[in-house]
Amino acid sequence: MQTDLFSDLLVIDCASFIAGPAAATVMSDFGARVIKIEPPGIGDSYRNLFRLRGSPDDIDYFWALDSRNKESLALDLKQPAARAVLEALIVKADVFITNFPFPVRARLGLRAEDVLPHNERLIYASLTPYGEEGPERNRTGFDTTAWWARSGLMDMVRATGDTEPALSMPGMGDHPTAMALYGAIITALYRRQLTGKGGVVSTSLLANGLWSNACQVQAALCGYELTARPPRGERGAMVETYRTLDERLFILTTTNPARDWPLLARAVGHPEWLENPLFATPMDRMANTAILVAWLDEIFAADTWDNWRARLEAGGVTFGIVGQIHDHIADPQIEANALLPEFTDGSGLRTVDSPFQLAGETKHPPRMAPEIGQHTQRILEECSTSAADIAALTMA
């Protein structure tokens, strides 16, 4: 029988939406038991997000993704009996994850100083929008505001300098931030192995936004003025997007034009370009970018993506398809690496795997995310809750 790497770990997911809970999801992928605490009746507000996008009331795809493998315990944490259950779980737990605003944590007794005295081995994992300290520590925020907009990514990721900045996609900053929180938790568990003591780990959406935009932030710290992106036809022909006969976009990229220019010229069937004085040096090619882009536009538009992909691969050219969201469903590369595993309920529905593997370890097959309070009765019984309190806590 398979023994999962984290099968001896109990994680309390006392958080909402994505960035905090997704760190628990990654732990569950390696077998940790994760108990999701959510309000009775309404559940985590994340459950309603997919309806706000105009989706039919069918499969809550957000919830299926980030709450797989978890058990749902519906508790009103304002009730004394519920607090007793939570404390019974904290005593046994290895990790406690929360992203509630600090004023809410204070009201509910969920601050580190409230939780850690019950279990000196516990890792208290705190996720905030803007950090643990400072004038904005109590502000609410999402990845759109704290990771994407505040970090400068929103301002810089534009097609050109005069293009309106784009909104981020749901979870775009949350999932990378969850990986940072996961890494902090695992680091703290290693320290606990050495010292026997738990403690507090933390990260924020802002810190992860700055890390994601770190090359540009570092440039600013070093005194550089970063210019806006130039329009198409001025960026350089070897770092440009092109369209094929069947309307697929792809992008070329290079870090070594002297090496890659001959590869491209030969791959597109024009080795004579290597003798053309217009393109003799990188400076010449940049000065004549508009000409070269126009020629490449005509060439790439004359054949299909499948044919160009084969030719560019054979020629050693570095390129990438501009993926469309449904491409991934039948992508043989994704399939070969098992990046979209099936849920175990036999429905054939797949999910997105957490983004790393550990040689010699098999991830726990993903179970479908729970209904609100699906495991409440059993967990309350495990916590030796009285019959009267169970009846009160599970009352609809």
Side-chain angles (χ1 to χ4, degrees), residues 220-234:
L221 292 171
C222 292
Y224 285 86
E225 290 295 328
L226 299 175
T227 59
R229 287 179 171 175
R232 188 172 189 275
E234 296 180 15

Side-chain angles (χ1 to χ4, degrees), residues 146-167:
W147 182 87
W148 178 242
R150 182 64 173 274
S151 69
L153 283 166
M154 185 174 181
D155 181 58
M156 301 194 75
V157 181
R158 311 182 192 219
T160 62
D162 57 0
T163 304
E164 284 295 310
L167 294 177

Side-chain angles (χ1 to χ4, degrees), residues 85-121:
V85 171
L86 178 62
E87 290 179 1
L89 288 173
I90 288 170
V91 167
K92 300 186 296 182
D94 297 280
V95 181
F96 181 93
I97 298 174
T98 188
N99 60 2
F100 293 164
F102 287 120
V104 175
R105 298 187 206 184
R107 287 197 302 272
L108 295 178
L110 298 178
R111 297 168 301 180
E113 57 263 39
D114 302 316
V115 171
L116 289 175
H118 298 285
N119 181 351
E120 67 173 8
R121 289 177 54 81

Side-chain angles (χ1 to χ4, degrees), residues 325 327-331 334-335 337-343 348-353 366:
I325 201 65
D327 291 343
H328 311 317
I329 295 172
D331 187 316
I334 290 174
E335 182 67 24
N337 287 278
L339 301 182
L340 301 177
E342 282 192 15
F343 284 106
L349 184 66
R350 292 183 286 170
T351 188
V352 182
D353 195 13

Side-chain angles (χ1 to χ4, degrees), residues 235-292:
R235 294 188 281 256
M238 298 183 67
V239 289
E240 193 54 90
T241 56
Y242 297 94
R243 189 180 300 273
T244 63
L245 179 64
D246 49 351
E247 295 295 315
R248 292 310 305 260
L249 284 171
F250 69 95
I251 186 168
L252 299 177
T253 188
T254 180
T255 57
N256 188 338
R259 177 197 64 198
D260 295 338
W261 164 239
L263 299 179
L264 177 63
R266 294 186 183 110
V268 299
H270 287 279
E272 74 279 5
W273 288 355
L274 301 177
E275 308 302 325
N276 191 324
L278 291 175
F279 312 132
T281 68
M283 294 289 289
D284 292 327
R285 291 193 292 275
M286 181 57 68
N288 294 292
T289 289
I291 296 172
L292 186 52

